[in-house]
Amino acid sequence: MADDMLRFWQTTPLSEMSKEQWESLCDGCGKCCLHKLRDDETDEIYFTNVACRLLDLHSCHCSSYETRFRKVPDCVSLTPDILTTIDWLPPSCAYILIRDGQDLPDWHPLRSGSAESVHEAGISARDKIISERKAGLLEDHMVEWPADIPPGVARNRRKRNTHKPSK
């Protein structure tokens, strides 16, 4: 995309975006579809490398996007309103970046013009995840990389967790 072209994510509030604009903000990293654990005592979030059974492990896209709520009833639909209450999206998530007044990084497909740029930059979950069907206990699959702050993202995001969640 040419630098002089108007970028909708810089001029349109999340709450006023069309469905197409909203959907295009997703960079296809797959990190939001990873199972997370929450510590009952501290409320901290812990990421795992275990993906929802509907996530295609290579493309990092939902294999049943249009019917996902029927197949996975606890799947969360991201909306501008819900962005004010959830705390488990990765720091590279475009919805969080835009909500917090940041721009999209160069590797985001809207900036690069390529859906593969998120994978090429190593931002996505590709080659780092397993399906929930093969995982076993989530506690055995806790990882930190989904919470890492990648290049091109402001450094004032999420702090690292330093202890294990209670069981």
Side-chain angles (χ1 to χ4, degrees):
M1 175 179 288
D3 286 337
D4 59 342
M5 293 181 71
L6 193 59
R7 298 173 176 165
F8 74 87
W9 63 90
Q10 294 174 328
T11 60
T12 307
L14 289 168
S15 62
E16 295 177 17
M17 288 185 182
S18 69
K19 181 180 181 184
E20 293 77 22
Q21 290 173 324
W22 179 265
E23 293 285 329
S24 72
L25 284 180
C26 176
D27 63 16
C29 75
K31 293 178 189 176
C32 63
C33 297
L34 300 178
H35 289 284
K36 294 110 185 136
L37 300 170
R38 185 178 296 274
D39 187 304
D40 292 337
E41 295 175 12
T42 67
D43 212 33
E44 287 187 77
I45 300 294
Y46 296 88
F47 286 87
T48 73
N49 66 343
V50 179
C52 168
R53 63 187 166 90
L54 298 180
L55 189 70
D56 178 295
L57 303 182
H58 181 73
S59 72
C60 296
H61 289 111
C62 183
S63 63
S64 255
Y65 188 73
E66 296 302 319
T67 59
R68 67 192 184 280
F69 301 114
R70 190 171 65 231
K71 295 179 179 183
V72 180
D74 61 346
C75 181
V76 175
S77 178
L78 292 181
T79 64
D81 288 339
I82 203 169
L83 289 179
T84 63
T85 61
I86 59 175
D87 61 354
W88 46 262
L89 289 170
S92 58
C93 178
Y95 299 102
I96 300 301
L97 294 174
I98 301 302
R99 178 199 72 188
D100 293 348
Q102 298 181 43
D103 200 358
L104 298 178
D106 291 340
W107 45 259
H108 191 284
L110 286 173
R111 299 278 309 273
S112 70
S114 168
E116 286 297 306
S117 60
V118 68
H119 306 298
E120 292 165 356
I123 306 305
S124 78
R126 179 184 282 175
D127 299 328
K128 301 174 191 169
I129 56 178
I130 63 171
S131 172
E132 67 185 18
R133 294 177 192 236
K134 297 182 179 182
L137 295 174
L138 291 178
E139 291 85 355
D140 294 338
H141 294 279
M142 293 190 330
V143 294
E144 293 189 11
W145 59 263
D148 287 346
I149 300 170
V153 173
R155 301 282 182 216
N156 62 350
R157 298 298 305 147
R158 200 179 312 271
K159 68 176 184 171
R160 276 197 193 267
N161 298 319
T162 57
H163 67 280
K164 303 276 186 210
S166 58
K167 294 183 182 179

